[in-house]
Amino acid sequence: PYLILYSCNLKNQNESFMLSGSKSISNRLLIINYLSKIDTKFENISNSEDTMLLQQALSTENNLIDVKQSGTVLRFLISLFAYENRNVTITGKKSLFRRPIKDLIESLEKLGASIKKVNNKIIIEHCNLHSDSISFQQMYTSQFISSILLISPYLPYGITLKLPLKLFSLPYIQMTVKIMENCGANLIWKENVIQVLNQPYSNILTKVESDWTSASYLFLSFSFSKLKTIKIYSLCKDSLQPDKIIVDFFALLGIQTQFYLDHIVLNKVTEFTIPQMVVWDFNQNPDVFPTIIVACLGFNIDLCATGIESLKYKESNRIQSMISEAKKFNCFFEKKIDNQLLVRPCKKNILEKKQLIIIDSYDDHRIALAFSTLALLGWNLQIDNPLVINKSYPNYWSDLTKFGIKIENCK
């Protein structure tokens, strides 16, 4: 199946959006809730496919679990099942097992796990985890550390983790630590060493703030649309999520964010000068890479992107996927030393907007989510594999129509 997107007349000047809970926070809380055995009812838990897969895995006694395309669920479950000494096989899409996993397995084996990776399967059996000190070398995902941290309060004498000097997505480790502390864990973090004591969780956070990465596509759509203002519910000013940084980026494009108790309001600043070039470091916020590239493409802004090394290890090689699709809009790319990527949108639009441009999602939800917004600028788009967005934002296609997009389902 595929979707055809094209712009249409707006019905309203203002719209409101209810975003589901943060996928990252929800998944961490589900692991903590499972370990604590506290009967908890969550408010605004993520409705993403990733979170649903984790919920299903935690509630089943099956010894074969399919996590599809979810790297987070795979990594979190490996540590959890190793701690439980549960004989289980985790499987998923072939592409999932091309993503980094080796360092996590080796670290758990040092703690007494027996884990085998066979093609697109992880086989866990005969584990008896003990406490130890683990030193991580350079890695391209913080989820290895979060995965072990979440189970560490239940190891006999806790654990000591020595973090690499260069670490991608550090804010996600900070998120894990903060949530663990709020749930009763005892952690000491000095410089690059985290020590976790043997102290089980005693409390569970029940309210989940909405997802800032999903909100980035609403910011992007709003910036391209003719809407005057929008309201988005349950986004926090003092958020645990690093992707709240999109507030700062879209301020560069004249999008003003006002924070209220239970929602934010976006407005457009009149007579605003758009920058000709933006330099952005994605080291700590890799998930907003597609959003920011498409924003720069739509506003004809040159972008110098740094800190992009980890993007090769996402659902797709996200650097190459973005380059391939953006080139369809006459966007030029230049790779520099030190892993810099220069993005240069064509200043003169020589493409006929009435022609149909086919967007390949590469089985990557964030590619489909970001590029679909360009329909608001008059492009007629075909989005292949539209259901891929269920991984993080199942309600997106419905939300997109509020900005002035007509969607046709095709088979």
Side-chain angles (χ1 to χ4, degrees), residues 340-372:
Q340 291 187 11
L341 182 69
L342 294 182
V343 184
R344 301 185 185 278
C346 181
K347 302 302 181 183
K348 292 184 178 180
N349 196 349
I350 61 175
L351 289 176
E352 174 57 52
K353 285 193 174 182
K354 294 299 181 183
Q355 75 181 73
L356 185 68
I357 296 181
I358 300 173
I359 302 298
D360 186 341
S361 69
Y362 302 89
D363 209 17
D364 188 334
H365 54 134
R366 304 212 182 277
I367 304 298
L369 289 162
F371 275 102
S372 62

Side-chain angles (χ1 to χ4, degrees), residues 107-236:
S107 297
L108 288 167
E109 286 178 335
K110 186 177 180 182
L111 296 176
S114 175
I115 304 171
K116 297 177 183 177
K117 180 180 179 295
V118 181
N119 299 322
N120 64 328
K121 293 180 180 179
I122 299 292
I123 302 171
I124 305 169
E125 54 187 3
H126 309 307
C127 299
N128 184 18
L129 297 195
H130 54 78
S131 298
D132 208 329
S133 176
I134 301 291
S135 295
F136 289 96
Q137 303 305 314
Q138 180 175 332
M139 60 182 62
Y140 293 102
T141 174
S142 64
Q143 288 178 357
F144 296 170
I145 296 167
S146 290
S147 175
I148 294 176
L149 278 174
L150 287 167
I151 66 164
S152 58
Y154 291 81
L155 298 180
Y157 302 101
I159 200 169
T160 299
L161 301 182
K162 296 180 181 178
L163 309 186
L165 295 178
K166 184 175 183 180
L167 185 62
F168 295 91
S169 302
L170 175 63
Y172 285 93
I173 299 175
Q174 294 169 334
M175 173 195 290
T176 302
V177 168
K178 185 66 175 177
I179 292 173
M180 289 174 65
E181 288 178 333
N182 288 340
C183 292
N186 191 341
L187 301 92
I188 301 169
W189 188 345
K190 290 185 178 180
E191 297 181 346
N192 69 321
V193 177
I194 302 176
Q195 182 181 6
V196 186
L197 304 182
N198 172 256
Q199 181 172 304
Y201 300 117
S202 56
N203 176 51
I204 301 296
L205 304 178
T206 58
K207 188 173 182 179
V208 183
E209 60 178 278
S210 290
D211 194 288
W212 272 104
T213 319
S214 294
S216 76
Y217 310 111
L218 298 181
F219 274 72
L220 183 58
S221 299
F222 177 64
S223 70
F224 289 160
S225 77
K226 296 179 181 178
L227 284 175
K228 292 184 177 180
T229 183
I230 65 172
K231 184 183 293 185
I232 311 173
Y233 283 91
S234 299
L235 289 170
C236 299

